[in-house]
PDB file of all heavy atoms in Angstrom:
ATOM      1  N   GLY Q   1      13.905 -60.723  67.410  1.00 94.00           N
ATOM      2  CA  GLY Q   1      12.938 -59.672  67.107  1.00 94.00           C
ATOM      3  C   GLY Q   1      13.003 -58.533  68.101  1.00 94.00           C
ATOM      4  O   GLY Q   1      12.949 -57.352  67.732  1.00 94.00           O
ATOM      5  N   THR Q   2      13.116 -58.871  69.372  1.00 96.00           N
ATOM      6  CA  THR Q   2      13.228 -57.854  70.415  1.00 96.00           C
ATOM      7  C   THR Q   2      14.493 -57.031  70.227  1.00 96.00           C
ATOM      8  O   THR Q   2      14.470 -55.797  70.310  1.00 96.00           O
ATOM      9  CB  THR Q   2      13.221 -58.515  71.811  1.00 96.00           C
ATOM     10  OG1 THR Q   2      12.015 -59.274  71.947  1.00 96.00           O
ATOM     11  CG2 THR Q   2      13.317 -57.475  72.917  1.00 96.00           C
ATOM     12  N   TYR Q   3      15.591 -57.711  69.936  1.00 96.00           N
ATOM     13  CA  TYR Q   3      16.860 -57.007  69.739  1.00 96.00           C
ATOM     14  C   TYR Q   3      16.756 -56.041  68.556  1.00 96.00           C
ATOM     15  O   TYR Q   3      17.186 -54.888  68.644  1.00 96.00           O
ATOM     16  CB  TYR Q   3      18.006 -57.997  69.517  1.00 96.00           C
ATOM     17  CG  TYR Q   3      19.328 -57.300  69.362  1.00 96.00           C
ATOM     18  CD1 TYR Q   3      20.098 -56.980  70.472  1.00 96.00           C
ATOM     19  CD2 TYR Q   3      19.801 -56.909  68.113  1.00 96.00           C
ATOM     20  CE1 TYR Q   3      21.295 -56.306  70.346  1.00 96.00           C
ATOM     21  CE2 TYR Q   3      20.995 -56.234  67.967  1.00 96.00           C
ATOM     22  CZ  TYR Q   3      21.741 -55.933  69.090  1.00 96.00           C
ATOM     23  OH  TYR Q   3      22.917 -55.249  68.953  1.00 96.00           O
ATOM     24  N   LEU Q   4      16.200 -56.509  67.445  1.00 96.00           N
ATOM     25  CA  LEU Q   4      16.090 -55.644  66.259  1.00 96.00           C
ATOM     26  C   LEU Q   4      15.262 -54.398  66.552  1.00 96.00           C
ATOM     27  O   LEU Q   4      15.618 -53.291  66.110  1.00 96.00           O
ATOM     28  CB  LEU Q   4      15.476 -56.413  65.091  1.00 96.00           C
ATOM     29  CG  LEU Q   4      16.405 -57.361  64.353  1.00 96.00           C
ATOM     30  CD1 LEU Q   4      15.624 -58.132  63.296  1.00 96.00           C
ATOM     31  CD2 LEU Q   4      17.563 -56.609  63.714  1.00 96.00           C
ATOM     32  N   ALA Q   5      14.167 -54.562  67.279  1.00 96.00           N
ATOM     33  CA  ALA Q   5      13.318 -53.421  67.607  1.00 96.00           C
ATOM     34  C   ALA Q   5      14.077 -52.409  68.468  1.00 96.00           C
ATOM     35  O   ALA Q   5      14.044 -51.197  68.194  1.00 96.00           O
ATOM     36  CB  ALA Q   5      12.058 -53.892  68.319  1.00 96.00           C
ATOM     37  N   LEU Q   6      14.766 -52.885  69.485  1.00 97.00           N
ATOM     38  CA  LEU Q   6      15.506 -51.989  70.374  1.00 97.00           C
ATOM     39  C   LEU Q   6      16.717 -51.374  69.681  1.00 97.00           C
ATOM     40  O   LEU Q   6      17.038 -50.193  69.895  1.00 97.00           O
ATOM     41  CB  LEU Q   6      15.923 -52.733  71.643  1.00 97.00           C
ATOM     42  CG  LEU Q   6      14.767 -53.155  72.549  1.00 97.00           C
ATOM     43  CD1 LEU Q   6      15.277 -54.042  73.687  1.00 97.00           C
ATOM     44  CD2 LEU Q   6      14.023 -51.947  73.082  1.00 97.00           C
ATOM     45  N   GLN Q   7      17.384 -52.146  68.853  1.00 95.00           N
ATOM     46  CA  GLN Q   7      18.549 -51.636  68.123  1.00 95.00           C
ATOM     47  C   GLN Q   7      18.154 -50.451  67.242  1.00 95.00           C
ATOM     48  O   GLN Q   7      18.907 -49.491  67.107  1.00 95.00           O
ATOM     49  CB  GLN Q   7      19.158 -52.742  67.258  1.00 95.00           C
ATOM     50  CG  GLN Q   7      20.294 -52.253  66.385  1.00 95.00           C
ATOM     51  CD  GLN Q   7      20.759 -53.308  65.403  1.00 95.00           C
ATOM     52  OE1 GLN Q   7      21.804 -53.876  65.611  1.00 95.00           O
ATOM     53  NE2 GLN Q   7      19.997 -53.561  64.365  1.00 95.00           N
ATOM     54  N   GLY Q   8      16.963 -50.516  66.665  1.00 94.00           N
ATOM     55  CA  GLY Q   8      16.494 -49.413  65.820  1.00 94.00           C
ATOM     56  C   GLY Q   8      16.467 -48.086  66.558  1.00 94.00           C
ATOM     57  O   GLY Q   8      16.806 -47.038  65.999  1.00 94.00           O
ATOM     58  N   PHE Q   9      16.070 -48.111  67.830  1.00 95.00           N
ATOM     59  CA  PHE Q   9      16.074 -46.881  68.640  1.00 95.00           C
ATOM     60  C   PHE Q   9      17.492 -46.451  68.981  1.00 95.00           C
ATOM     61  O   PHE Q   9      17.842 -45.282  68.873  1.00 95.00           O
ATOM     62  CB  PHE Q   9      15.290 -47.078  69.939  1.00 95.00           C
ATOM     63  CG  PHE Q   9      13.819 -47.321  69.729  1.00 95.00           C
ATOM     64  CD1 PHE Q   9      13.267 -48.538  70.070  1.00 95.00           C
ATOM     65  CD2 PHE Q   9      13.005 -46.337  69.197  1.00 95.00           C
ATOM     66  CE1 PHE Q   9      11.913 -48.770  69.892  1.00 95.00           C
ATOM     67  CE2 PHE Q   9      11.652 -46.558  69.013  1.00 95.00           C
ATOM     68  CZ  PHE Q   9      11.104 -47.777  69.360  1.00 95.00           C
ATOM     69  N   VAL Q  10      18.297 -47.421  69.408  1.00 95.00           N
ATOM     70  CA  VAL Q  10      19.647 -47.107  69.886  1.00 95.00           C
ATOM     71  C   VAL Q  10      20.523 -46.535  68.770  1.00 95.00           C
ATOM     72  O   VAL Q  10      21.305 -45.605  69.005  1.00 95.00           O
ATOM     73  CB  VAL Q  10      20.305 -48.350  70.515  1.00 95.00           C
ATOM     74  CG1 VAL Q  10      21.762 -48.107  70.833  1.00 95.00           C
ATOM     75  CG2 VAL Q  10      19.546 -48.760  71.770  1.00 95.00           C
ATOM     76  N   LEU Q  11      20.408 -47.062  67.573  1.00 93.00           N
ATOM     77  CA  LEU Q  11      21.265 -46.597  66.476  1.00 93.00           C
ATOM     78  C   LEU Q  11      20.972 -45.159  66.068  1.00 93.00           C
ATOM     79  O   LEU Q  11      21.749 -44.556  65.332  1.00 93.00           O
ATOM     80  CB  LEU Q  11      21.155 -47.539  65.277  1.00 93.00           C
ATOM     81  CG  LEU Q  11      21.763 -48.922  65.494  1.00 93.00           C
ATOM     82  CD1 LEU Q  11      21.609 -49.782  64.248  1.00 93.00           C
ATOM     83  CD2 LEU Q  11      23.228 -48.835  65.912  1.00 93.00           C
ATOM     84  N   GLN Q  12      19.900 -44.590  66.568  1.00 94.00           N
ATOM     85  CA  GLN Q  12      19.593 -43.187  66.287  1.00 94.00           C
ATOM     86  C   GLN Q  12      20.367 -42.231  67.197  1.00 94.00           C
ATOM     87  O   GLN Q  12      20.391 -41.023  66.952  1.00 94.00           O
ATOM     88  CB  GLN Q  12      18.093 -42.942  66.422  1.00 94.00           C
ATOM     89  CG  GLN Q  12      17.285 -43.677  65.366  1.00 94.00           C
ATOM     90  CD  GLN Q  12      15.805 -43.453  65.513  1.00 94.00           C
ATOM     91  OE1 GLN Q  12      15.364 -42.394  65.965  1.00 94.00           O
ATOM     92  NE2 GLN Q  12      15.022 -44.439  65.133  1.00 94.00           N
ATOM     93  N   LEU Q  13      21.007 -42.769  68.240  1.00 94.00           N
ATOM     94  CA  LEU Q  13      21.819 -41.937  69.126  1.00 94.00           C
ATOM     95  C   LEU Q  13      23.024 -41.397  68.363  1.00 94.00           C
ATOM     96  O   LEU Q  13      23.568 -42.062  67.477  1.00 94.00           O
ATOM     97  CB  LEU Q  13      22.295 -42.745  70.335  1.00 94.00           C
ATOM     98  CG  LEU Q  13      21.222 -43.281  71.282  1.00 94.00           C
ATOM     99  CD1 LEU Q  13      21.854 -44.228  72.294  1.00 94.00           C
ATOM    100  CD2 LEU Q  13      20.501 -42.140  71.973  1.00 94.00           C
ATOM    101  N   ASP Q  14      23.475 -40.211  68.732  1.00 93.00           N
ATOM    102  CA  ASP Q  14      24.624 -39.605  68.070  1.00 93.00           C
ATOM    103  C   ASP Q  14      25.953 -40.073  68.651  1.00 93.00           C
ATOM    104  O   ASP Q  14      26.938 -40.203  67.941  1.00 93.00           O
ATOM    105  CB  ASP Q  14      24.550 -38.071  68.167  1.00 93.00           C
ATOM    106  CG  ASP Q  14      23.400 -37.507  67.341  1.00 93.00           C
ATOM    107  OD1 ASP Q  14      23.079 -38.101  66.295  1.00 93.00           O
ATOM    108  OD2 ASP Q  14      22.822 -36.487  67.763  1.00 93.00           O
ATOM    109  N   ASP Q  15      25.986 -40.331  69.935  1.00 92.00           N
ATOM    110  CA  ASP Q  15      27.222 -40.682  70.625  1.00 92.00           C
ATOM    111  C   ASP Q  15      27.533 -42.168  70.460  1.00 92.00           C
ATOM    112  O   ASP Q  15      26.742 -43.023  70.863  1.00 92.00           O
ATOM    113  CB  ASP Q  15      27.076 -40.322  72.111  1.00 92.00           C
ATOM    114  CG  ASP Q  15      28.373 -40.496  72.878  1.00 92.00           C
ATOM    115  OD1 ASP Q  15      28.772 -41.667  73.064  1.00 92.00           O
ATOM    116  OD2 ASP Q  15      28.959 -39.487  73.278  1.00 92.00           O
ATOM    117  N   LYS Q  16      28.697 -42.455  69.901  1.00 90.00           N
ATOM    118  CA  LYS Q  16      29.095 -43.852  69.648  1.00 90.00           C
ATOM    119  C   LYS Q  16      29.262 -44.642  70.938  1.00 90.00           C
ATOM    120  O   LYS Q  16      28.925 -45.817  71.001  1.00 90.00           O
ATOM    121  CB  LYS Q  16      30.385 -43.883  68.822  1.00 90.00           C
ATOM    122  CG  LYS Q  16      30.690 -45.222  68.225  1.00 90.00           C
ATOM    123  CD  LYS Q  16      31.844 -45.151  67.235  1.00 90.00           C
ATOM    124  CE  LYS Q  16      32.074 -46.503  66.612  1.00 90.00           C
ATOM    125  NZ  LYS Q  16      33.109 -46.507  65.605  1.00 90.00           N
ATOM    126  N   ASP Q  17      29.766 -43.999  72.001  1.00 92.00           N
ATOM    127  CA  ASP Q  17      29.928 -44.674  73.289  1.00 92.00           C
ATOM    128  C   ASP Q  17      28.569 -45.034  73.892  1.00 92.00           C
ATOM    129  O   ASP Q  17      28.396 -46.125  74.442  1.00 92.00           O
ATOM    130  CB  ASP Q  17      30.721 -43.807  74.277  1.00 92.00           C
ATOM    131  CG  ASP Q  17      32.196 -43.673  73.883  1.00 92.00           C
ATOM    132  OD1 ASP Q  17      32.693 -44.558  73.138  1.00 92.00           O
ATOM    133  OD2 ASP Q  17      32.829 -42.702  74.309  1.00 92.00           O
ATOM    134  N   GLN Q  18      27.613 -44.127  73.781  1.00 94.00           N
ATOM    135  CA  GLN Q  18      26.264 -44.410  74.272  1.00 94.00           C
ATOM    136  C   GLN Q  18      25.656 -45.586  73.505  1.00 94.00           C
ATOM    137  O   GLN Q  18      25.002 -46.442  74.102  1.00 94.00           O
ATOM    138  CB  GLN Q  18      25.355 -43.189  74.133  1.00 94.00           C
ATOM    139  CG  GLN Q  18      25.583 -42.123  75.160  1.00 94.00           C
ATOM    140  CD  GLN Q  18      24.604 -40.971  74.994  1.00 94.00           C
ATOM    141  OE1 GLN Q  18      24.078 -40.722  73.904  1.00 94.00           O
ATOM    142  NE2 GLN Q  18      24.359 -40.251  76.074  1.00 94.00           N
ATOM    143  N   LYS Q  19      25.864 -45.601  72.210  1.00 93.00           N
ATOM    144  CA  LYS Q  19      25.364 -46.722  71.400  1.00 93.00           C
ATOM    145  C   LYS Q  19      25.966 -48.034  71.877  1.00 93.00           C
ATOM    146  O   LYS Q  19      25.258 -49.028  72.052  1.00 93.00           O
ATOM    147  CB  LYS Q  19      25.716 -46.532  69.919  1.00 93.00           C
ATOM    148  CG  LYS Q  19      24.919 -45.514  69.195  1.00 93.00           C
ATOM    149  CD  LYS Q  19      25.374 -45.481  67.740  1.00 93.00           C
ATOM    150  CE  LYS Q  19      24.869 -44.255  67.032  1.00 93.00           C
ATOM    151  NZ  LYS Q  19      25.333 -44.207  65.639  1.00 93.00           N
ATOM    152  N   ALA Q  20      27.274 -48.043  72.080  1.00 93.00           N
ATOM    153  CA  ALA Q  20      27.966 -49.266  72.496  1.00 93.00           C
ATOM    154  C   ALA Q  20      27.452 -49.758  73.842  1.00 93.00           C
ATOM    155  O   ALA Q  20      27.169 -50.955  74.010  1.00 93.00           O
ATOM    156  CB  ALA Q  20      29.475 -49.026  72.554  1.00 93.00           C
ATOM    157  N   ILE Q  21      27.319 -48.848  74.802  1.00 95.00           N
ATOM    158  CA  ILE Q  21      26.860 -49.231  76.146  1.00 95.00           C
ATOM    159  C   ILE Q  21      25.419 -49.735  76.088  1.00 95.00           C
ATOM    160  O   ILE Q  21      25.090 -50.782  76.659  1.00 95.00           O
ATOM    161  CB  ILE Q  21      27.009 -48.051  77.130  1.00 95.00           C
ATOM    162  CG1 ILE Q  21      28.489 -47.762  77.383  1.00 95.00           C
ATOM    163  CG2 ILE Q  21      26.280 -48.332  78.437  1.00 95.00           C
ATOM    164  CD1 ILE Q  21      28.771 -46.446  78.076  1.00 95.00           C
ATOM    165  N   ALA Q  22      24.560 -49.000  75.402  1.00 96.00           N
ATOM    166  CA  ALA Q  22      23.151 -49.399  75.320  1.00 96.00           C
ATOM    167  C   ALA Q  22      23.011 -50.757  74.625  1.00 96.00           C
ATOM    168  O   ALA Q  22      22.271 -51.630  75.104  1.00 96.00           O
ATOM    169  CB  ALA Q  22      22.350 -48.332  74.572  1.00 96.00           C
ATOM    170  N   LEU Q  23      23.711 -50.955  73.524  1.00 96.00           N
ATOM    171  CA  LEU Q  23      23.617 -52.235  72.814  1.00 96.00           C
ATOM    172  C   LEU Q  23      24.209 -53.375  73.638  1.00 96.00           C
ATOM    173  O   LEU Q  23      23.699 -54.495  73.602  1.00 96.00           O
ATOM    174  CB  LEU Q  23      24.293 -52.145  71.449  1.00 96.00           C
ATOM    175  CG  LEU Q  23      23.565 -51.284  70.409  1.00 96.00           C
ATOM    176  CD1 LEU Q  23      24.403 -51.128  69.147  1.00 96.00           C
ATOM    177  CD2 LEU Q  23      22.197 -51.865  70.091  1.00 96.00           C
ATOM    178  N   ALA Q  24      25.270 -53.100  74.395  1.00 96.00           N
ATOM    179  CA  ALA Q  24      25.855 -54.141  75.251  1.00 96.00           C
ATOM    180  C   ALA Q  24      24.868 -54.545  76.343  1.00 96.00           C
ATOM    181  O   ALA Q  24      24.680 -55.745  76.610  1.00 96.00           O
ATOM    182  CB  ALA Q  24      27.162 -53.654  75.861  1.00 96.00           C
ATOM    183  N   ILE Q  25      24.222 -53.566  76.971  1.00 97.00           N
ATOM    184  CA  ILE Q  25      23.247 -53.870  78.023  1.00 97.00           C
ATOM    185  C   ILE Q  25      22.069 -54.655  77.446  1.00 97.00           C
ATOM    186  O   ILE Q  25      21.639 -55.664  78.013  1.00 97.00           O
ATOM    187  CB  ILE Q  25      22.770 -52.575  78.715  1.00 97.00           C
ATOM    188  CG1 ILE Q  25      23.912 -51.971  79.536  1.00 97.00           C
ATOM    189  CG2 ILE Q  25      21.536 -52.830  79.583  1.00 97.00           C
ATOM    190  CD1 ILE Q  25      23.646 -50.568  80.042  1.00 97.00           C
ATOM    191  N   ILE Q  26      21.555 -54.215  76.319  1.00 97.00           N
ATOM    192  CA  ILE Q  26      20.438 -54.905  75.664  1.00 97.00           C
ATOM    193  C   ILE Q  26      20.827 -56.338  75.324  1.00 97.00           C
ATOM    194  O   ILE Q  26      20.061 -57.279  75.553  1.00 97.00           O
ATOM    195  CB  ILE Q  26      19.998 -54.131  74.403  1.00 97.00           C
ATOM    196  CG1 ILE Q  26      19.313 -52.819  74.812  1.00 97.00           C
ATOM    197  CG2 ILE Q  26      19.089 -54.974  73.524  1.00 97.00           C
ATOM    198  CD1 ILE Q  26      19.130 -51.839  73.661  1.00 97.00           C
ATOM    199  N   THR Q  27      22.033 -56.522  74.811  1.00 97.00           N
ATOM    200  CA  THR Q  27      22.506 -57.865  74.433  1.00 97.00           C
ATOM    201  C   THR Q  27      22.572 -58.782  75.643  1.00 97.00           C
ATOM    202  O   THR Q  27      22.097 -59.922  75.596  1.00 97.00           O
ATOM    203  CB  THR Q  27      23.888 -57.775  73.751  1.00 97.00           C
ATOM    204  OG1 THR Q  27      23.765 -56.962  72.571  1.00 97.00           O
ATOM    205  CG2 THR Q  27      24.409 -59.144  73.373  1.00 97.00           C
ATOM    206  N   VAL Q  28      23.141 -58.311  76.736  1.00 97.00           N
ATOM    207  CA  VAL Q  28      23.271 -59.131  77.940  1.00 97.00           C
ATOM    208  C   VAL Q  28      21.899 -59.472  78.518  1.00 97.00           C
ATOM    209  O   VAL Q  28      21.638 -60.621  78.883  1.00 97.00           O
ATOM    210  CB  VAL Q  28      24.158 -58.413  78.993  1.00 97.00           C
ATOM    211  CG1 VAL Q  28      24.079 -59.098  80.342  1.00 97.00           C
ATOM    212  CG2 VAL Q  28      25.594 -58.344  78.504  1.00 97.00           C
ATOM    213  N   VAL Q  29      21.009 -58.489  78.588  1.00 98.00           N
ATOM    214  CA  VAL Q  29      19.677 -58.726  79.145  1.00 98.00           C
ATOM    215  C   VAL Q  29      18.908 -59.738  78.293  1.00 98.00           C
ATOM    216  O   VAL Q  29      18.294 -60.676  78.814  1.00 98.00           O
ATOM    217  CB  VAL Q  29      18.895 -57.398  79.284  1.00 98.00           C
ATOM    218  CG1 VAL Q  29      17.425 -57.654  79.585  1.00 98.00           C
ATOM    219  CG2 VAL Q  29      19.527 -56.528  80.355  1.00 98.00           C
ATOM    220  N   ILE Q  30      18.947 -59.576  76.977  1.00 97.00           N
ATOM    221  CA  ILE Q  30      18.218 -60.503  76.110  1.00 97.00           C
ATOM    222  C   ILE Q  30      18.857 -61.890  76.127  1.00 97.00           C
ATOM    223  O   ILE Q  30      18.142 -62.902  76.110  1.00 97.00           O
ATOM    224  CB  ILE Q  30      18.103 -59.947  74.680  1.00 97.00           C
ATOM    225  CG1 ILE Q  30      17.216 -58.691  74.688  1.00 97.00           C
ATOM    226  CG2 ILE Q  30      17.533 -60.995  73.729  1.00 97.00           C
ATOM    227  CD1 ILE Q  30      17.131 -57.982  73.344  1.00 97.00           C
ATOM    228  N   ALA Q  31      20.173 -61.970  76.179  1.00 97.00           N
ATOM    229  CA  ALA Q  31      20.838 -63.281  76.241  1.00 97.00           C
ATOM    230  C   ALA Q  31      20.420 -64.034  77.505  1.00 97.00           C
ATOM    231  O   ALA Q  31      20.074 -65.217  77.449  1.00 97.00           O
ATOM    232  CB  ALA Q  31      22.357 -63.107  76.189  1.00 97.00           C
ATOM    233  N   ALA Q  32      20.427 -63.346  78.643  1.00 97.00           N
ATOM    234  CA  ALA Q  32      19.995 -63.987  79.892  1.00 97.00           C
ATOM    235  C   ALA Q  32      18.520 -64.368  79.819  1.00 97.00           C
ATOM    236  O   ALA Q  32      18.121 -65.463  80.233  1.00 97.00           O
ATOM    237  CB  ALA Q  32      20.248 -63.055  81.075  1.00 97.00           C
ATOM    238  N   GLY Q  33      17.716 -63.479  79.280  1.00 96.00           N
ATOM    239  CA  GLY Q  33      16.291 -63.759  79.134  1.00 96.00           C
ATOM    240  C   GLY Q  33      16.015 -64.932  78.221  1.00 96.00           C
ATOM    241  O   GLY Q  33      15.064 -65.694  78.429  1.00 96.00           O
ATOM    242  N   THR Q  34      16.847 -65.100  77.207  1.00 95.00           N
ATOM    243  CA  THR Q  34      16.681 -66.221  76.273  1.00 95.00           C
ATOM    244  C   THR Q  34      16.850 -67.545  76.991  1.00 95.00           C
ATOM    245  O   THR Q  34      16.072 -68.482  76.787  1.00 95.00           O
ATOM    246  CB  THR Q  34      17.702 -66.099  75.120  1.00 95.00           C
ATOM    247  OG1 THR Q  34      17.396 -64.912  74.384  1.00 95.00           O
ATOM    248  CG2 THR Q  34      17.650 -67.291  74.199  1.00 95.00           C
ATOM    249  N   TYR Q  35      17.840 -67.641  77.837  1.00 96.00           N
ATOM    250  CA  TYR Q  35      18.066 -68.875  78.591  1.00 96.00           C
ATOM    251  C   TYR Q  35      16.848 -69.200  79.457  1.00 96.00           C
ATOM    252  O   TYR Q  35      16.335 -70.315  79.439  1.00 96.00           O
ATOM    253  CB  TYR Q  35      19.322 -68.757  79.459  1.00 96.00           C
ATOM    254  CG  TYR Q  35      19.655 -70.037  80.174  1.00 96.00           C
ATOM    255  CD1 TYR Q  35      20.492 -70.967  79.590  1.00 96.00           C
ATOM    256  CD2 TYR Q  35      19.110 -70.330  81.421  1.00 96.00           C
ATOM    257  CE1 TYR Q  35      20.785 -72.157  80.231  1.00 96.00           C
ATOM    258  CE2 TYR Q  35      19.399 -71.516  82.064  1.00 96.00           C
ATOM    259  CZ  TYR Q  35      20.243 -72.426  81.469  1.00 96.00           C
ATOM    260  OH  TYR Q  35      20.520 -73.608  82.108  1.00 96.00           O
ATOM    261  N   VAL Q  36      16.379 -68.201  80.196  1.00 96.00           N
ATOM    262  CA  VAL Q  36      15.235 -68.402  81.096  1.00 96.00           C
ATOM    263  C   VAL Q  36      13.980 -68.720  80.296  1.00 96.00           C
ATOM    264  O   VAL Q  36      13.219 -69.621  80.649  1.00 96.00           O
ATOM    265  CB  VAL Q  36      15.021 -67.156  81.992  1.00 96.00           C
ATOM    266  CG1 VAL Q  36      13.730 -67.261  82.786  1.00 96.00           C
ATOM    267  CG2 VAL Q  36      16.219 -66.956  82.908  1.00 96.00           C
ATOM    268  N   TRP Q  37      13.754 -68.014  79.204  1.00 94.00           N
ATOM    269  CA  TRP Q  37      12.550 -68.224  78.395  1.00 94.00           C
ATOM    270  C   TRP Q  37      12.533 -69.641  77.822  1.00 94.00           C
ATOM    271  O   TRP Q  37      11.506 -70.304  77.845  1.00 94.00           O
ATOM    272  CB  TRP Q  37      12.490 -67.185  77.278  1.00 94.00           C
ATOM    273  CG  TRP Q  37      11.260 -67.279  76.443  1.00 94.00           C
ATOM    274  CD1 TRP Q  37      10.006 -66.855  76.770  1.00 94.00           C
ATOM    275  CD2 TRP Q  37      11.161 -67.836  75.140  1.00 94.00           C
ATOM    276  NE1 TRP Q  37       9.141 -67.120  75.748  1.00 94.00           N
ATOM    277  CE2 TRP Q  37       9.817 -67.717  74.729  1.00 94.00           C
ATOM    278  CE3 TRP Q  37      12.080 -68.417  74.271  1.00 94.00           C
ATOM    279  CZ2 TRP Q  37       9.373 -68.168  73.492  1.00 94.00           C
ATOM    280  CZ3 TRP Q  37      11.638 -68.865  73.039  1.00 94.00           C
ATOM    281  CH2 TRP Q  37      10.301 -68.732  72.668  1.00 94.00           C
ATOM    282  N   ARG Q  38      13.669 -70.102  77.323  1.00 94.00           N
ATOM    283  CA  ARG Q  38      13.717 -71.463  76.779  1.00 94.00           C
ATOM    284  C   ARG Q  38      13.486 -72.505  77.871  1.00 94.00           C
ATOM    285  O   ARG Q  38      12.858 -73.524  77.646  1.00 94.00           O
ATOM    286  CB  ARG Q  38      15.057 -71.726  76.076  1.00 94.00           C
ATOM    287  CG  ARG Q  38      15.182 -71.020  74.729  1.00 94.00           C
ATOM    288  CD  ARG Q  38      14.218 -71.623  73.738  1.00 94.00           C
ATOM    289  NE  ARG Q  38      14.085 -70.842  72.545  1.00 94.00           N
ATOM    290  CZ  ARG Q  38      14.406 -71.252  71.332  1.00 94.00           C
ATOM    291  NH1 ARG Q  38      14.904 -72.442  71.145  1.00 94.00           N
ATOM    292  NH2 ARG Q  38      14.217 -70.470  70.296  1.00 94.00           N
ATOM    293  N   GLN Q  39      13.993 -72.232  79.058  1.00 94.00           N
ATOM    294  CA  GLN Q  39      13.757 -73.156  80.172  1.00 94.00           C
ATOM    295  C   GLN Q  39      12.269 -73.210  80.494  1.00 94.00           C
ATOM    296  O   GLN Q  39      11.704 -74.293  80.678  1.00 94.00           O
ATOM    297  CB  GLN Q  39      14.550 -72.712  81.396  1.00 94.00           C
ATOM    298  CG  GLN Q  39      14.481 -73.665  82.561  1.00 94.00           C
ATOM    299  CD  GLN Q  39      15.399 -73.229  83.695  1.00 94.00           C
ATOM    300  OE1 GLN Q  39      15.709 -72.049  83.845  1.00 94.00           O
ATOM    301  NE2 GLN Q  39      15.830 -74.179  84.474  1.00 94.00           N
ATOM    302  N   ARG Q  40      11.628 -72.076  80.538  1.00 94.00           N
ATOM    303  CA  ARG Q  40      10.189 -72.027  80.833  1.00 94.00           C
ATOM    304  C   ARG Q  40       9.340 -72.607  79.713  1.00 94.00           C
ATOM    305  O   ARG Q  40       8.214 -73.028  79.959  1.00 94.00           O
ATOM    306  CB  ARG Q  40       9.762 -70.588  81.122  1.00 94.00           C
ATOM    307  CG  ARG Q  40      10.310 -70.104  82.434  1.00 94.00           C
ATOM    308  CD  ARG Q  40       9.802 -68.743  82.778  1.00 94.00           C
ATOM    309  NE  ARG Q  40      10.346 -68.344  84.067  1.00 94.00           N
ATOM    310  CZ  ARG Q  40      10.268 -67.126  84.535  1.00 94.00           C
ATOM    311  NH1 ARG Q  40       9.668 -66.187  83.843  1.00 94.00           N
ATOM    312  NH2 ARG Q  40      10.782 -66.839  85.713  1.00 94.00           N
ATOM    313  N   ARG Q  41       9.861 -72.613  78.496  1.00 92.00           N
ATOM    314  CA  ARG Q  41       9.139 -73.195  77.363  1.00 92.00           C
ATOM    315  C   ARG Q  41       9.362 -74.700  77.252  1.00 92.00           C
ATOM    316  O   ARG Q  41       8.927 -75.336  76.309  1.00 92.00           O
ATOM    317  CB  ARG Q  41       9.557 -72.532  76.045  1.00 92.00           C
ATOM    318  CG  ARG Q  41       9.079 -71.116  75.854  1.00 92.00           C
ATOM    319  CD  ARG Q  41       7.583 -71.008  75.643  1.00 92.00           C
ATOM    320  NE  ARG Q  41       7.086 -71.853  74.600  1.00 92.00           N
ATOM    321  CZ  ARG Q  41       6.692 -71.458  73.416  1.00 92.00           C
ATOM    322  NH1 ARG Q  41       6.733 -70.186  73.112  1.00 92.00           N
ATOM    323  NH2 ARG Q  41       6.247 -72.318  72.531  1.00 92.00           N
ATOM    324  N   GLY Q  42      10.085 -75.279  78.207  1.00 91.00           N
ATOM    325  CA  GLY Q  42      10.208 -76.728  78.265  1.00 91.00           C
ATOM    326  C   GLY Q  42      11.440 -77.322  77.608  1.00 91.00           C
ATOM    327  O   GLY Q  42      11.506 -78.534  77.423  1.00 91.00           O
ATOM    328  N   VAL Q  43      12.432 -76.513  77.248  1.00 93.00           N
ATOM    329  CA  VAL Q  43      13.672 -77.067  76.708  1.00 93.00           C
ATOM    330  C   VAL Q  43      14.399 -77.725  77.871  1.00 93.00           C
ATOM    331  O   VAL Q  43      14.786 -77.065  78.831  1.00 93.00           O
ATOM    332  CB  VAL Q  43      14.538 -75.988  76.023  1.00 93.00           C
ATOM    333  CG1 VAL Q  43      15.871 -76.568  75.594  1.00 93.00           C
ATOM    334  CG2 VAL Q  43      13.792 -75.410  74.829  1.00 93.00           C
TER     335      VAL Q  43
END
């Protein structure tokens, strides 16, 4: 859900390189956060 919300903003950018960098950063941050969040939720 977080990714979809952020992707909606990023895809409005005109520059394809900016889109790629922003989406890559968002993906890495959310992936790392997912691991930590699941650990804190008791997995």
Side-chain angles (χ1 to χ4, degrees):
T2 302
Y3 182 87
L4 282 175
L6 293 173
Q7 175 188 255
F9 295 114
V10 172
L11 291 180
Q12 294 179 31
L13 297 171
D14 292 328
D15 187 290
K16 194 171 183 177
D17 290 337
Q18 284 182 335
K19 286 181 194 179
I21 291 167
L23 290 173
I25 291 169
I26 290 167
T27 300
V28 168
V29 168
I30 294 175
T34 296
Y35 184 91
V36 172
W37 183 77
R38 286 292 168 118
Q39 185 174 26
R40 290 185 179 168
R41 289 290 308 254
V43 175

